[in-house]
Amino acid sequence: MSGQNFRGRVTLARPGVAGPVFVAPFLVLFLLLFLTPLGYAAYLSLFQHHLVGGTTFVGLKNYVTALSDPLLREGVGHVALFFVIQVPVMLILAVLFALALDSGLLRLAKVVRLGIFLPYAVPSVVATLMWGYLYGPSFGPFAQIGRDLHVTVPDFLGSSWMLASLSNIVTWEFTGYNMIILYAALQTIPRELYEAAAVDGAGAWRIARSIKLPALRPALTLTLLFSVIGSFQLFNEPALLQQLAPNVIDSSYTANFYAYSLAFTGQQVNYAAAVSFLLGLVIVIISYVFLFLANRRRTP
């Protein structure tokens, strides 16, 4: 009897131990690879290095300087405009593709779905190099075709077209990723709703407008939140295109690129840490405001 009670106590104790054991590896990695570097960056942002006098504690002086930095404001302005231009186009395309695939009217739907998603599997560095070659005013195929046809081709790497060119690259990369999220959300809609709507005389367009699009709101909120974070962290594409258009893309073209240039080119590690934290704060505030408005709109 006592042996049975002992085994019962051990069995009951196991669920309480299993949870922390399974979570522990994640918590350790989260502490070492995320919280520790973040804390160290916060520590660095409170100091300033001088050629004479060494490193001194300056408190929030770096943050005050960053708030009045015109280069940082210019970089934030670029990514904000990029967000306004690129994200609506990308999400509209993702919604259209998801609706087309979910309709069941496309032939070779699996092949089409894979083809739309495939650009996301291409590393952003490779994608930017590929599009940079296509954009090239001297060697790019667009320019060559324009010269052969005696047609004026826009300078895709010029100051007037650079944001649009960057938007095109990112849209090409991430439309398929967002399409998969939206398509998965459409697959969760009960088919009985479609059947009931069809019995009531609703056509494909009415079903899409009255059933599918309202059901996509949570998934659209998620994709838009990811797009906010990704847009304000824009780095790879402008960093690589700078080699092709150095007079258009400078070291402060985006806020993330500016922080990188400060740390690794200007050797201003302390100030770069402060700029990075301010950029993170901007992302957190915008994301929170967006989620607050989205939840408030959904709440009756």
Side-chain angles (χ1 to χ4, degrees):
M1 188 68 178
S2 60
Q4 292 178 352
N5 290 337
F6 176 76
R7 286 195 297 270
R9 286 196 296 270
V10 172
T11 303
L12 292 176
R14 284 177 181 173
V17 176
V21 169
F22 282 113
V23 174
F26 166 77
L27 292 178
V28 171
L29 292 176
F30 184 74
L31 175 64
L32 294 178
L33 302 180
F34 183 78
L35 292 183
T36 300
L38 197 64
Y40 182 61
Y43 170 79
L44 288 178
S45 68
L46 302 177
F47 291 84
Q48 198 171 70
H49 181 74
H50 304 277
L51 292 178
V52 179
T55 301
T56 58
F57 178 79
V58 294
L60 299 179
K61 182 180 179 181
N62 288 325
Y63 292 93
V64 175
T65 303
L67 288 174
S68 59
D69 190 340
L71 295 178
L72 178 59
R73 289 200 300 267
E74 182 182 358
V76 173
H78 281 150
V79 293
L81 183 58
F82 171 86
F83 174 81
V84 172
I85 295 174
Q86 186 266 333
V87 172
V89 175
M90 178 183 64
L91 292 185
I92 289 173
L93 289 175
V95 169
L96 293 177
F97 288 142
L99 291 174
L101 290 170
D102 186 69
S103 67
L105 300 177
L106 289 179
R107 294 182 179 180
L108 301 175
K110 293 183 179 180
V111 177
V112 174
R113 184 173 61 199
L114 179 62
I116 297 172
F117 180 76
L118 190 59
Y120 177 70
V122 178
S124 60
V125 173
V126 176
T128 305
L129 292 175
M130 179 188 72
W131 279 101
Y133 165 72
L134 295 175
Y135 289 151
S138 301
F139 51 81
F142 295 153
Q144 293 179 12
I145 293 173
R147 285 194 293 268
D148 293 340
L149 298 178
H150 303 286
V151 175
T152 301
V153 177
D155 184 6
F156 295 109
L157 298 179
S159 57
S160 301
W161 282 86
M162 182 56 71
L163 271 180
S165 298
L166 289 170
S167 299
N168 177 65
I169 297 174
V170 176
T171 300
W172 183 82
E173 290 177 304
F174 289 96
T175 295
Y177 170 78
N178 291 287
M179 179 270 295
I180 289 296
I181 295 177
L182 299 174
Y183 178 70
L186 288 174
Q187 294 297 297
T188 63
I189 301 176
R191 298 296 160 177
E192 293 79 4
L193 293 177
Y194 300 153
E195 296 172 359
V199 169
D200 291 338
W205 287 107
R206 182 60 185 273
I207 291 175
R209 186 173 67 252
S210 301
I211 298 178
K212 293 184 178 182
L213 289 179
L216 282 179
R217 287 177 184 171
L220 276 173
T221 300
L222 178 65
T223 55
L224 191 53
L225 181 62
F226 287 164
S227 299
V228 169
I229 298 172
S231 296
F232 281 86
Q233 290 183 336
L234 186 65
F235 175 79
N236 284 339
E237 291 79 6
L240 290 171
L241 288 185
Q242 186 190 36
Q243 307 301 318
L244 300 176
N247 296 327
V248 177
I249 299 181
D250 55 16
S251 60
S252 60
Y253 194 79
T254 67
N256 209 13
F257 191 24
Y258 182 46
Y260 171 85
S261 300
L262 286 171
F264 297 100
T265 303
Q267 301 300 316
Q268 302 181 54
V269 177
N270 305 101
Y271 185 52
V275 169
S276 299
F277 264 87
L278 280 181
L279 178 60
L281 182 61
V282 169
I283 294 174
V284 168
I285 292 174
I286 294 177
S287 301
Y288 175 80
V289 171
F290 169 73
L291 287 177
F292 175 79
L293 294 177
N295 293 331
R296 184 177 180 182
R297 186 174 181 179
R298 270 204 309 266
T299 304

